[in-house]
Amino acid sequence: MHIHLSERFSYGKLLRFTMPSVIMMIFTSLYGVADGFFVSNFAGKNPFTAVNFIMPFLMVLGAMGFMFGTGGSALIAKTMGEGGSDRANRQFSLLIYTTLVCGIIVAALGIIFIRPVASLMGAEGELLENCVLYGRIILLALPFYMLQFEFQSFFSTAEKPRLGLAVTIAAGMANIIGDALLVAVFRFGIVGAAAATALSQAVGGIIPLFYFALPNTSRLKLTKTRLDFGVLAKVCINGSSELMSNVSMSLVNMLYNVQLMKYAGEDGVAAYGTLMYVNLVFLAAFIGYSVGTAPIVSFHYGAEDHAELKSLLKKSFVIISVFAVMMFAAAELLAGPLAKIFTGYDEGLLSLTLRGFFIFSFTFLFAGFAIFGSAFFTALNDGLTSALISFLRTLVFQVAAVIVLPLIWGIDGVWVSSVAAEFTAAAITVIFIFAKRKKYRYL
């Protein structure tokens, strides 16, 4: 049954509309997990460490696509709610074309500067060479990676979340099959893993590009447009929280790697990489739900339907609470099996990873509230509040915690840092929700 943005949403309808986005984000996160599994088990610990070490830098470069997607989705859905379908298509087209141009420029700069960046982060010798080799192959597909991020938001706005899920599954299967063949069968090591990931990103970016360029049944189409700096400025400001979130998380991951090298060496980086794979998948559920609900919130905000905004906020907090408890329980129960998948070949590394798992799992009880809160304000076109929540959650609290807590608890302080930061961010989000209730009338 096709669900329109203008409808009234029960719990069931809300979950049906957002579930494709949830699965889509989880499947996207599984790309990195597939790389990690095959590299760790078929290429060795040093290449596995290299993938985890350079990935935050690559995520920073791709984050612009997420900014255009989330910020653009909010503006376009609001425009639809106001009755401006043609204007929404022009805005959509402008963002896609801009992303392509920016992607090519950023990819070229990344290829040039990846070696000094990896060296500055502390990589040297074989680790440095593997970082550069893996990163440069991935960067060849960066424009499509940025488009893939962007289309993940726009599919929901176009009222085609299931089609977005199908594209993501196709891209994910390309990555997994590519890893299995190039890394496990033909033994191309880190080169094969990078090629498989680049292929999957190309699939995830090119297929939607053709879909929206050709006649289709969605609410969005690529059309002729013109350069509009006003639209681009609004989108960048409104999507700055998501850009900040992705850039900050990547920068913080780099800092975590520096701290782990200090307190536990390369084993610490490898253990943290395993935790990040699980973290990516679990947080993807919160991100996917937030991406799925954003166009609904934007549409009803544009239509000035305050009763539905109130209903959406209440239902979302209930759903996120249930997700949080389920994820915490799953992380605690699956810590052993998941750690063995990636680090079972090394007893010391396995022990370190298990210890980190049991502490880090508490993160999932709190993370979803700040993620949704930031996306909720983005959907209301309040980019400043959204960016502030994101900035505090992903940078300020994390940096403060990972610098201070290891001084008290050593390596355990690194694992506790994320829990402390997410708890503080959840509390700040609740404060902002109450502080803004009269302005947006959602309570």
Side-chain angles (χ1 to χ4, degrees), residues 31-32 34-35 38-39 134 137-138 141 148 170-184 188-204:
Y31 298 172
D35 270 2
F38 284 103
V39 171
Y134 181 83
I137 295 172
I138 294 287
Q148 183 180 19
M173 292 307 297
N175 189 37
I176 294 169
I177 293 171
D179 274 327
L181 290 174
L182 298 177
V183 182
F188 289 143
I190 201 169
V191 173
T197 299
L199 173 63
S200 72
Q201 292 169 354
V203 170

Side-chain angles (χ1 to χ4, degrees), residues 280-354:
L280 278 173
V281 174
F282 279 27
L283 293 192
F286 294 126
I287 296 170
Y289 178 80
S290 300
V291 168
T293 54
I296 306 172
V297 171
S298 298
F299 185 94
H300 288 283
Y301 173 60
E304 299 185 1
D305 189 346
H306 302 292
E308 186 63 12
L309 281 180
K310 180 178 180 179
S311 175
L312 286 167
L313 180 62
K314 178 184 176 181
K315 289 181 173 67
S316 292
F317 266 84
V318 171
I319 290 171
I320 287 169
S321 297
V322 173
F323 277 9
V325 173
M326 291 172 61
M327 288 178 190
F328 169 71
E332 289 289 333
L333 291 172
L334 297 175
L338 290 173
K340 288 179 181 177
I341 289 175
F342 292 96
T343 61
Y345 57 83
D346 187 312
E347 190 63 35
L349 180 55
L350 175 61
S351 177
L352 181 63
T353 305
L354 280 172

